[in-house]
Amino acid sequence: MKSYNRRMPSVQLFITCLTDSFFPETGEAIVDIFSRLGIGVDFTPEQTCCGQPQFNAGLRADARAIAEHTIKIFEKTRGDIVTPSGSCAHHFRHNLLELFEGDAEWYPRAEKFGKRVFEFTEYLVDHLGITDLGATWDGLLTYHPSCHTLRGLNVDRQPRALLQNIKGATLVELPHAQECCGFGGVMSVEHPELSAEWLKRKISNLESTQAPTLVVTDAGCLMHIMGGLKRQGKKQRVMHIAEVLNHQT
């Protein structure tokens, strides 16, 4: 583990509803990592869902109410906002500008808020300049780039750089990695047959790598692929990148 001696400012953690409800170990890993880097982590307990499901479903009034609440509570805080979800980061940085377009009061507030938001690996690599966290891993890893992280934020080299610096790990390429896993938020509810087919293809591609662990950057993909593996009786596991990067011996 490299030594980071200077004290860095605290960050605000936007944990996301899926991580908070189903994968709290991801949040714990992020806190551990930032603590080792000398960065404090603050958590605003009033935070809720980012509102992306409502936005994507066309429920703009509901999405707006959630967005206004989120902006208000984070306006009371200081520092960068880090989230373990590319989809939530994309929603805050891009969708809110569409949601508040033409609103003289809320558009500038949403724009200012969005500029504070970073996806976790993006923050480590682009903002802090860190690609080696001293993590260790024994064996093969393969990486699935979540759709909003890859296409919405153009974040791909960052998680790959972090994974490539894990000692003892061998990163193997996932065939057709850029294909959606089939979750897609409300898409998986509105088009379950299509979602199931994409999931089946993703699992088949995972099996072809012979890697026992698939790494993702978004809890939606984690939950969807993990569920598919369990239903099919597969032995592979899915982990958020924060947990892998927090693994040390």
Side-chain angles (χ1 to χ4, degrees):
M1 178 69 184
K2 291 183 179 179
S3 176
Y4 300 91
N5 295 319
R6 72 182 188 278
R7 180 70 187 179
M8 298 183 186
S10 296
V11 297
Q12 300 293 327
L13 177 61
F14 182 81
I15 195 59
T16 83
C17 51
L18 289 181
T19 302
D20 182 49
S21 299
F22 300 107
F23 307 107
E25 58 274 14
T26 296
E28 293 169 359
I30 290 174
V31 172
D32 287 345
I33 289 170
F34 279 133
S35 295
R36 289 200 302 273
L37 296 175
I39 300 174
V41 178
D42 296 325
F43 180 81
T44 300
E46 295 88 356
Q47 62 183 272
T48 61
C49 174
C50 70
Q52 182 184 192
Q54 293 83 352
F55 179 87
N56 290 344
L59 304 173
R60 297 302 172 92
D62 293 338
R64 181 184 176 108
I66 296 171
E68 289 180 3
H69 170 76
T70 301
I71 293 170
K72 286 177 182 177
I73 63 172
F74 278 101
E75 283 178 337
K76 301 175 184 178
T77 69
R78 299 179 63 184
D80 299 320
I81 302 167
V82 179
T83 178
S85 167
S87 59
C88 292
H90 175 268
H91 179 67
F92 287 149
R93 292 208 305 223
H94 298 284
N95 292 348
L96 294 197
L97 298 182
E98 179 181 339
L99 188 64
F100 292 114
E101 185 176 7
D103 190 312
E105 176 188 356
W106 281 100
Y107 185 91
R109 293 172 72 174
E111 185 177 35
K112 184 177 180 179
F113 167 69
K115 289 179 179 179
R116 295 174 60 193
V117 176
F118 298 86
E119 184 271 334
F120 174 62
T121 65
E122 174 189 36
Y123 192 74
L124 290 174
V125 176
D126 293 349
H127 193 73
L128 299 181
I130 296 171
T131 57
D132 188 347
L133 288 165
T136 61
W137 195 270
D138 183 19
L140 302 179
L141 295 171
T142 191
Y143 170 65
H144 162 68
S146 302
C147 292
H148 281 98
T149 306
L150 175 64
R151 298 177 181 85
L153 300 177
N154 196 30
V155 170
D156 188 52
R157 61 175 178 81
Q158 298 91 331
R160 292 180 184 276
L162 290 160
L163 292 172
Q164 288 167 352
N165 280 320
I166 297 177
K167 297 175 179 63
T170 300
L171 185 62
V172 294
E173 186 65 22
L174 179 68
H176 307 290
Q178 296 187 1
E179 291 184 356
C180 179
C181 71
F183 180 63
V186 295
M187 191 280 295
S188 61
V189 178
E190 295 175 343
H191 305 283
E193 298 85 0
L194 182 60
S195 173
E197 184 60 30
W198 283 352
L199 176 60
K200 183 169 68 175
R201 290 173 58 176
K202 184 62 66 175
I203 291 175
S204 177
N205 290 329
L206 168 59
E207 289 185 299
S208 73
T209 68
Q210 299 185 347
T213 305
L214 175 68
V215 183
V216 299
T217 58
D218 201 292
C221 299
L222 196 164
M223 181 174 66
H224 189 60
I225 301 172
M226 178 187 291
L229 289 169
K230 184 176 181 179
R231 288 190 296 273
Q232 294 184 27
K234 306 294 184 181
K235 296 182 178 180
Q236 293 89 342
R237 60 179 173 174
V238 189
M239 296 181 68
H240 192 278
I241 193 170
E243 294 179 71
V244 177
L245 294 173
N246 194 42
H247 188 269
Q248 297 187 331
T249 56

PDB file of all heavy atoms in Angstrom, residues 139-169:
ATOM      1  N   GLY A 139      -5.854 -14.958  -8.326  1.00  0.00           N
ATOM      2  CA  GLY A 139      -6.620 -15.593  -9.387  1.00  0.00           C
ATOM      3  C   GLY A 139      -7.138 -14.644 -10.440  1.00  0.00           C
ATOM      4  O   GLY A 139      -6.719 -13.494 -10.557  1.00  0.00           O
ATOM      5  N   LEU A 140      -8.107 -15.157 -11.200  1.00  0.00           N
ATOM      6  CA  LEU A 140      -8.647 -14.439 -12.346  1.00  0.00           C
ATOM      7  C   LEU A 140      -9.785 -13.514 -11.945  1.00  0.00           C
ATOM      8  O   LEU A 140     -10.630 -13.855 -11.114  1.00  0.00           O
ATOM      9  CB  LEU A 140      -9.167 -15.428 -13.395  1.00  0.00           C
ATOM     10  CG  LEU A 140      -8.177 -16.450 -13.967  1.00  0.00           C
ATOM     11  CD1 LEU A 140      -8.899 -17.359 -14.969  1.00  0.00           C
ATOM     12  CD2 LEU A 140      -7.000 -15.764 -14.618  1.00  0.00           C
ATOM     13  N   LEU A 141      -9.803 -12.343 -12.580  1.00  0.00           N
ATOM     14  CA  LEU A 141     -10.910 -11.403 -12.472  1.00  0.00           C
ATOM     15  C   LEU A 141     -11.324 -11.010 -13.880  1.00  0.00           C
ATOM     16  O   LEU A 141     -10.492 -10.924 -14.787  1.00  0.00           O
ATOM     17  CB  LEU A 141     -10.498 -10.137 -11.715  1.00  0.00           C
ATOM     18  CG  LEU A 141     -10.106 -10.253 -10.240  1.00  0.00           C
ATOM     19  CD1 LEU A 141      -9.523  -8.929  -9.756  1.00  0.00           C
ATOM     20  CD2 LEU A 141     -11.311 -10.637  -9.398  1.00  0.00           C
ATOM     21  N   THR A 142     -12.601 -10.757 -14.070  1.00  0.00           N
ATOM     22  CA  THR A 142     -13.059 -10.185 -15.328  1.00  0.00           C
ATOM     23  C   THR A 142     -14.016  -9.043 -15.004  1.00  0.00           C
ATOM     24  O   THR A 142     -14.620  -9.017 -13.932  1.00  0.00           O
ATOM     25  CB  THR A 142     -13.727 -11.241 -16.234  1.00  0.00           C
ATOM     26  OG1 THR A 142     -13.928 -10.684 -17.549  1.00  0.00           O
ATOM     27  CG2 THR A 142     -15.053 -11.718 -15.673  1.00  0.00           C
ATOM     28  N   TYR A 143     -14.132  -8.100 -15.929  1.00  0.00           N
ATOM     29  CA  TYR A 143     -14.820  -6.844 -15.636  1.00  0.00           C
ATOM     30  C   TYR A 143     -15.964  -6.585 -16.603  1.00  0.00           C
ATOM     31  O   TYR A 143     -15.803  -6.661 -17.826  1.00  0.00           O
ATOM     32  CB  TYR A 143     -13.816  -5.690 -15.693  1.00  0.00           C
ATOM     33  CG  TYR A 143     -14.431  -4.318 -15.650  1.00  0.00           C
ATOM     34  CD1 TYR A 143     -15.112  -3.872 -14.508  1.00  0.00           C
ATOM     35  CD2 TYR A 143     -14.344  -3.453 -16.741  1.00  0.00           C
ATOM     36  CE1 TYR A 143     -15.694  -2.620 -14.463  1.00  0.00           C
ATOM     37  CE2 TYR A 143     -14.919  -2.193 -16.703  1.00  0.00           C
ATOM     38  CZ  TYR A 143     -15.593  -1.782 -15.560  1.00  0.00           C
ATOM     39  OH  TYR A 143     -16.166  -0.540 -15.513  1.00  0.00           O
ATOM     40  N   HIS A 144     -17.131  -6.275 -16.043  1.00  0.00           N
ATOM     41  CA  HIS A 144     -18.295  -5.866 -16.831  1.00  0.00           C
ATOM     42  C   HIS A 144     -18.504  -4.365 -16.686  1.00  0.00           C
ATOM     43  O   HIS A 144     -18.773  -3.875 -15.579  1.00  0.00           O
ATOM     44  CB  HIS A 144     -19.559  -6.598 -16.359  1.00  0.00           C
ATOM     45  CG  HIS A 144     -20.833  -5.943 -16.812  1.00  0.00           C
ATOM     46  ND1 HIS A 144     -21.218  -5.919 -18.142  1.00  0.00           N
ATOM     47  CD2 HIS A 144     -21.804  -5.272 -16.118  1.00  0.00           C
ATOM     48  CE1 HIS A 144     -22.374  -5.267 -18.248  1.00  0.00           C
ATOM     49  NE2 HIS A 144     -22.738  -4.865 -17.036  1.00  0.00           N
ATOM     50  N   PRO A 145     -18.371  -3.586 -17.768  1.00  0.00           N
ATOM     51  CA  PRO A 145     -18.593  -2.135 -17.695  1.00  0.00           C
ATOM     52  C   PRO A 145     -20.083  -1.812 -17.733  1.00  0.00           C
ATOM     53  O   PRO A 145     -20.757  -2.040 -18.724  1.00  0.00           O
ATOM     54  CB  PRO A 145     -17.879  -1.607 -18.945  1.00  0.00           C
ATOM     55  CG  PRO A 145     -17.923  -2.752 -19.916  1.00  0.00           C
ATOM     56  CD  PRO A 145     -17.914  -4.012 -19.101  1.00  0.00           C
ATOM     57  N   SER A 146     -20.589  -1.292 -16.634  1.00  0.00           N
ATOM     58  CA  SER A 146     -22.008  -0.938 -16.560  1.00  0.00           C
ATOM     59  C   SER A 146     -22.344   0.147 -17.576  1.00  0.00           C
ATOM     60  O   SER A 146     -21.524   1.029 -17.854  1.00  0.00           O
ATOM     61  CB  SER A 146     -22.345  -0.452 -15.149  1.00  0.00           C
ATOM     62  OG  SER A 146     -22.033  -1.437 -14.187  1.00  0.00           O
ATOM     63  N   CYS A 147     -23.542   0.097 -18.109  1.00  0.00           N
ATOM     64  CA  CYS A 147     -23.919   0.949 -19.236  1.00  0.00           C
ATOM     65  C   CYS A 147     -23.771   2.445 -18.945  1.00  0.00           C
ATOM     66  O   CYS A 147     -23.183   3.186 -19.737  1.00  0.00           O
ATOM     67  CB  CYS A 147     -25.353   0.648 -19.658  1.00  0.00           C
ATOM     68  SG  CYS A 147     -25.574  -0.988 -20.391  1.00  0.00           S
ATOM     69  N   HIS A 148     -24.316   2.918 -17.824  1.00  0.00           N
ATOM     70  CA  HIS A 148     -24.240   4.343 -17.537  1.00  0.00           C
ATOM     71  C   HIS A 148     -22.822   4.784 -17.201  1.00  0.00           C
ATOM     72  O   HIS A 148     -22.424   5.907 -17.510  1.00  0.00           O
ATOM     73  CB  HIS A 148     -25.184   4.713 -16.388  1.00  0.00           C
ATOM     74  CG  HIS A 148     -26.610   4.838 -16.803  1.00  0.00           C
ATOM     75  ND1 HIS A 148     -27.526   3.830 -16.640  1.00  0.00           N
ATOM     76  CD2 HIS A 148     -27.288   5.853 -17.400  1.00  0.00           C
ATOM     77  CE1 HIS A 148     -28.706   4.207 -17.109  1.00  0.00           C
ATOM     78  NE2 HIS A 148     -28.584   5.425 -17.582  1.00  0.00           N
ATOM     79  N   THR A 149     -22.065   3.890 -16.557  1.00  0.00           N
ATOM     80  CA  THR A 149     -20.670   4.219 -16.259  1.00  0.00           C
ATOM     81  C   THR A 149     -19.884   4.377 -17.548  1.00  0.00           C
ATOM     82  O   THR A 149     -19.126   5.348 -17.718  1.00  0.00           O
ATOM     83  CB  THR A 149     -20.028   3.122 -15.387  1.00  0.00           C
ATOM     84  OG1 THR A 149     -20.834   2.928 -14.218  1.00  0.00           O
ATOM     85  CG2 THR A 149     -18.619   3.510 -14.978  1.00  0.00           C
ATOM     86  N   LEU A 150     -20.068   3.452 -18.468  1.00  0.00           N
ATOM     87  CA  LEU A 150     -19.318   3.447 -19.723  1.00  0.00           C
ATOM     88  C   LEU A 150     -19.812   4.516 -20.689  1.00  0.00           C
ATOM     89  O   LEU A 150     -19.031   5.347 -21.164  1.00  0.00           O
ATOM     90  CB  LEU A 150     -19.422   2.063 -20.364  1.00  0.00           C
ATOM     91  CG  LEU A 150     -18.785   1.895 -21.743  1.00  0.00           C
ATOM     92  CD1 LEU A 150     -17.277   2.086 -21.671  1.00  0.00           C
ATOM     93  CD2 LEU A 150     -19.125   0.535 -22.335  1.00  0.00           C
ATOM     94  N   ARG A 151     -21.093   4.504 -20.992  1.00  0.00           N
ATOM     95  CA  ARG A 151     -21.618   5.376 -22.042  1.00  0.00           C
ATOM     96  C   ARG A 151     -22.044   6.742 -21.528  1.00  0.00           C
ATOM     97  O   ARG A 151     -21.877   7.744 -22.211  1.00  0.00           O
ATOM     98  CB  ARG A 151     -22.812   4.688 -22.731  1.00  0.00           C
ATOM     99  CG  ARG A 151     -22.426   3.394 -23.419  1.00  0.00           C
ATOM    100  CD  ARG A 151     -23.648   2.702 -24.018  1.00  0.00           C
ATOM    101  NE  ARG A 151     -23.271   1.459 -24.664  1.00  0.00           N
ATOM    102  CZ  ARG A 151     -23.129   0.294 -24.050  1.00  0.00           C
ATOM    103  NH1 ARG A 151     -23.363   0.214 -22.741  1.00  0.00           N
ATOM    104  NH2 ARG A 151     -22.778  -0.790 -24.698  1.00  0.00           N
ATOM    105  N   GLY A 152     -22.588   6.761 -20.323  1.00  0.00           N
ATOM    106  CA  GLY A 152     -23.062   8.024 -19.787  1.00  0.00           C
ATOM    107  C   GLY A 152     -21.964   8.912 -19.244  1.00  0.00           C
ATOM    108  O   GLY A 152     -22.008  10.135 -19.404  1.00  0.00           O
ATOM    109  N   LEU A 153     -20.950   8.277 -18.595  1.00  0.00           N
ATOM    110  CA  LEU A 153     -19.868   9.039 -17.982  1.00  0.00           C
ATOM    111  C   LEU A 153     -18.547   8.904 -18.719  1.00  0.00           C
ATOM    112  O   LEU A 153     -17.587   9.590 -18.383  1.00  0.00           O
ATOM    113  CB  LEU A 153     -19.675   8.577 -16.529  1.00  0.00           C
ATOM    114  CG  LEU A 153     -20.862   8.732 -15.579  1.00  0.00           C
ATOM    115  CD1 LEU A 153     -20.509   8.165 -14.212  1.00  0.00           C
ATOM    116  CD2 LEU A 153     -21.289  10.187 -15.463  1.00  0.00           C
ATOM    117  N   ASN A 154     -18.479   7.993 -19.689  1.00  0.00           N
ATOM    118  CA  ASN A 154     -17.226   7.710 -20.394  1.00  0.00           C
ATOM    119  C   ASN A 154     -16.140   7.251 -19.413  1.00  0.00           C
ATOM    120  O   ASN A 154     -14.963   7.605 -19.551  1.00  0.00           O
ATOM    121  CB  ASN A 154     -16.756   8.933 -21.182  1.00  0.00           C
ATOM    122  CG  ASN A 154     -15.699   8.588 -22.219  1.00  0.00           C
ATOM    123  OD1 ASN A 154     -15.680   7.478 -22.755  1.00  0.00           O
ATOM    124  ND2 ASN A 154     -14.811   9.520 -22.501  1.00  0.00           N
ATOM    125  N   VAL A 155     -16.548   6.475 -18.424  1.00  0.00           N
ATOM    126  CA  VAL A 155     -15.623   5.924 -17.440  1.00  0.00           C
ATOM    127  C   VAL A 155     -15.398   4.450 -17.748  1.00  0.00           C
ATOM    128  O   VAL A 155     -16.312   3.632 -17.610  1.00  0.00           O
ATOM    129  CB  VAL A 155     -16.176   6.096 -16.000  1.00  0.00           C
ATOM    130  CG1 VAL A 155     -15.346   5.308 -14.993  1.00  0.00           C
ATOM    131  CG2 VAL A 155     -16.202   7.574 -15.626  1.00  0.00           C
ATOM    132  N   ASP A 156     -14.195   4.122 -18.201  1.00  0.00           N
ATOM    133  CA  ASP A 156     -13.840   2.735 -18.501  1.00  0.00           C
ATOM    134  C   ASP A 156     -12.382   2.448 -18.162  1.00  0.00           C
ATOM    135  O   ASP A 156     -12.073   1.452 -17.515  1.00  0.00           O
ATOM    136  CB  ASP A 156     -14.096   2.419 -19.976  1.00  0.00           C
ATOM    137  CG  ASP A 156     -13.922   0.941 -20.284  1.00  0.00           C
ATOM    138  OD1 ASP A 156     -14.536   0.112 -19.588  1.00  0.00           O
ATOM    139  OD2 ASP A 156     -13.164   0.609 -21.219  1.00  0.00           O
ATOM    140  N   ARG A 157     -11.479   3.353 -18.578  1.00  0.00           N
ATOM    141  CA  ARG A 157     -10.065   3.134 -18.290  1.00  0.00           C
ATOM    142  C   ARG A 157      -9.782   3.215 -16.795  1.00  0.00           C
ATOM    143  O   ARG A 157      -8.842   2.582 -16.298  1.00  0.00           O
ATOM    144  CB  ARG A 157      -9.201   4.169 -19.021  1.00  0.00           C
ATOM    145  CG  ARG A 157      -9.480   5.599 -18.625  1.00  0.00           C
ATOM    146  CD  ARG A 157      -8.548   6.620 -19.248  1.00  0.00           C
ATOM    147  NE  ARG A 157      -8.928   7.967 -18.836  1.00  0.00           N
ATOM    148  CZ  ARG A 157      -8.593   8.507 -17.674  1.00  0.00           C
ATOM    149  NH1 ARG A 157      -7.855   7.813 -16.811  1.00  0.00           N
ATOM    150  NH2 ARG A 157      -8.984   9.735 -17.369  1.00  0.00           N
ATOM    151  N   GLN A 158     -10.596   3.965 -16.064  1.00  0.00           N
ATOM    152  CA  GLN A 158     -10.358   4.157 -14.638  1.00  0.00           C
ATOM    153  C   GLN A 158     -10.510   2.853 -13.844  1.00  0.00           C
ATOM    154  O   GLN A 158      -9.586   2.466 -13.120  1.00  0.00           O
ATOM    155  CB  GLN A 158     -11.278   5.252 -14.083  1.00  0.00           C
ATOM    156  CG  GLN A 158     -11.052   6.629 -14.706  1.00  0.00           C
ATOM    157  CD  GLN A 158     -11.919   6.893 -15.926  1.00  0.00           C
ATOM    158  OE1 GLN A 158     -12.285   5.962 -16.642  1.00  0.00           O
ATOM    159  NE2 GLN A 158     -12.255   8.153 -16.165  1.00  0.00           N
ATOM    160  N   PRO A 159     -11.657   2.162 -13.947  1.00  0.00           N
ATOM    161  CA  PRO A 159     -11.747   0.889 -13.228  1.00  0.00           C
ATOM    162  C   PRO A 159     -10.752  -0.137 -13.728  1.00  0.00           C
ATOM    163  O   PRO A 159     -10.212  -0.937 -12.941  1.00  0.00           O
ATOM    164  CB  PRO A 159     -13.198   0.441 -13.460  1.00  0.00           C
ATOM    165  CG  PRO A 159     -13.678   1.246 -14.622  1.00  0.00           C
ATOM    166  CD  PRO A 159     -12.936   2.531 -14.580  1.00  0.00           C
ATOM    167  N   ARG A 160     -10.465  -0.125 -15.013  1.00  0.00           N
ATOM    168  CA  ARG A 160      -9.499  -1.084 -15.555  1.00  0.00           C
ATOM    169  C   ARG A 160      -8.093  -0.815 -15.008  1.00  0.00           C
ATOM    170  O   ARG A 160      -7.352  -1.757 -14.696  1.00  0.00           O
ATOM    171  CB  ARG A 160      -9.501  -1.022 -17.081  1.00  0.00           C
ATOM    172  CG  ARG A 160     -10.794  -1.543 -17.712  1.00  0.00           C
ATOM    173  CD  ARG A 160     -10.751  -1.474 -19.225  1.00  0.00           C
ATOM    174  NE  ARG A 160     -12.005  -1.890 -19.828  1.00  0.00           N
ATOM    175  CZ  ARG A 160     -12.350  -3.143 -20.071  1.00  0.00           C
ATOM    176  NH1 ARG A 160     -11.494  -4.119 -19.763  1.00  0.00           N
ATOM    177  NH2 ARG A 160     -13.501  -3.445 -20.621  1.00  0.00           N
ATOM    178  N   ALA A 161      -7.724   0.447 -14.909  1.00  0.00           N
ATOM    179  CA  ALA A 161      -6.403   0.786 -14.367  1.00  0.00           C
ATOM    180  C   ALA A 161      -6.270   0.314 -12.929  1.00  0.00           C
ATOM    181  O   ALA A 161      -5.230  -0.211 -12.514  1.00  0.00           O
ATOM    182  CB  ALA A 161      -6.179   2.294 -14.458  1.00  0.00           C
ATOM    183  N   LEU A 162      -7.324   0.498 -12.142  1.00  0.00           N
ATOM    184  CA  LEU A 162      -7.304   0.060 -10.747  1.00  0.00           C
ATOM    185  C   LEU A 162      -7.215  -1.463 -10.654  1.00  0.00           C
ATOM    186  O   LEU A 162      -6.463  -1.998  -9.831  1.00  0.00           O
ATOM    187  CB  LEU A 162      -8.559   0.567 -10.034  1.00  0.00           C
ATOM    188  CG  LEU A 162      -8.609   2.076  -9.786  1.00  0.00           C
ATOM    189  CD1 LEU A 162     -10.042   2.534  -9.532  1.00  0.00           C
ATOM    190  CD2 LEU A 162      -7.723   2.454  -8.601  1.00  0.00           C
ATOM    191  N   LEU A 163      -7.958  -2.163 -11.494  1.00  0.00           N
ATOM    192  CA  LEU A 163      -7.936  -3.624 -11.453  1.00  0.00           C
ATOM    193  C   LEU A 163      -6.589  -4.186 -11.926  1.00  0.00           C
ATOM    194  O   LEU A 163      -6.110  -5.193 -11.394  1.00  0.00           O
ATOM    195  CB  LEU A 163      -9.070  -4.180 -12.321  1.00  0.00           C
ATOM    196  CG  LEU A 163     -10.493  -3.935 -11.805  1.00  0.00           C
ATOM    197  CD1 LEU A 163     -11.522  -4.368 -12.838  1.00  0.00           C
ATOM    198  CD2 LEU A 163     -10.726  -4.676 -10.493  1.00  0.00           C
ATOM    199  N   GLN A 164      -5.994  -3.535 -12.900  1.00  0.00           N
ATOM    200  CA  GLN A 164      -4.713  -4.016 -13.421  1.00  0.00           C
ATOM    201  C   GLN A 164      -3.574  -3.872 -12.418  1.00  0.00           C
ATOM    202  O   GLN A 164      -2.545  -4.540 -12.554  1.00  0.00           O
ATOM    203  CB  GLN A 164      -4.380  -3.282 -14.718  1.00  0.00           C
ATOM    204  CG  GLN A 164      -5.248  -3.707 -15.894  1.00  0.00           C
ATOM    205  CD  GLN A 164      -5.149  -2.771 -17.089  1.00  0.00           C
ATOM    206  OE1 GLN A 164      -4.544  -1.702 -17.006  1.00  0.00           O
ATOM    207  NE2 GLN A 164      -5.773  -3.146 -18.194  1.00  0.00           N
ATOM    208  N   ASN A 165      -3.758  -3.033 -11.418  1.00  0.00           N
ATOM    209  CA  ASN A 165      -2.716  -2.830 -10.407  1.00  0.00           C
ATOM    210  C   ASN A 165      -2.930  -3.660  -9.149  1.00  0.00           C
ATOM    211  O   ASN A 165      -2.219  -3.481  -8.164  1.00  0.00           O
ATOM    212  CB  ASN A 165      -2.622  -1.346 -10.037  1.00  0.00           C
ATOM    213  CG  ASN A 165      -1.835  -0.547 -11.057  1.00  0.00           C
ATOM    214  OD1 ASN A 165      -0.824  -1.002 -11.573  1.00  0.00           O
ATOM    215  ND2 ASN A 165      -2.317   0.641 -11.374  1.00  0.00           N
ATOM    216  N   ILE A 166      -3.893  -4.574  -9.178  1.00  0.00           N
ATOM    217  CA  ILE A 166      -4.101  -5.461  -8.038  1.00  0.00           C
ATOM    218  C   ILE A 166      -3.065  -6.574  -8.081  1.00  0.00           C
ATOM    219  O   ILE A 166      -2.983  -7.322  -9.062  1.00  0.00           O
ATOM    220  CB  ILE A 166      -5.518  -6.054  -8.047  1.00  0.00           C
ATOM    221  CG1 ILE A 166      -6.561  -4.943  -7.906  1.00  0.00           C
ATOM    222  CG2 ILE A 166      -5.673  -7.077  -6.927  1.00  0.00           C
ATOM    223  CD1 ILE A 166      -7.989  -5.435  -7.971  1.00  0.00           C
ATOM    224  N   LYS A 167      -2.283  -6.683  -7.051  1.00  0.00           N
ATOM    225  CA  LYS A 167      -1.209  -7.671  -7.008  1.00  0.00           C
ATOM    226  C   LYS A 167      -1.776  -9.085  -6.917  1.00  0.00           C
ATOM    227  O   LYS A 167      -2.655  -9.358  -6.099  1.00  0.00           O
ATOM    228  CB  LYS A 167      -0.290  -7.386  -5.819  1.00  0.00           C
ATOM    229  CG  LYS A 167       0.428  -6.042  -5.905  1.00  0.00           C
ATOM    230  CD  LYS A 167       1.225  -5.755  -4.648  1.00  0.00           C
ATOM    231  CE  LYS A 167       1.961  -4.411  -4.775  1.00  0.00           C
ATOM    232  NZ  LYS A 167       1.007  -3.285  -4.914  1.00  0.00           N
ATOM    233  N   GLY A 168      -1.267  -9.970  -7.767  1.00  0.00           N
ATOM    234  CA  GLY A 168      -1.683 -11.364  -7.759  1.00  0.00           C
ATOM    235  C   GLY A 168      -2.881 -11.662  -8.631  1.00  0.00           C
ATOM    236  O   GLY A 168      -3.193 -12.829  -8.887  1.00  0.00           O
ATOM    237  N   ALA A 169      -3.555 -10.628  -9.108  1.00  0.00           N
ATOM    238  CA  ALA A 169      -4.738 -10.833  -9.936  1.00  0.00           C
ATOM    239  C   ALA A 169      -4.372 -10.853 -11.408  1.00  0.00           C
ATOM    240  O   ALA A 169      -3.436 -10.180 -11.846  1.00  0.00           O
ATOM    241  CB  ALA A 169      -5.757  -9.734  -9.687  1.00  0.00           C
TER     242      ALA A 169
END
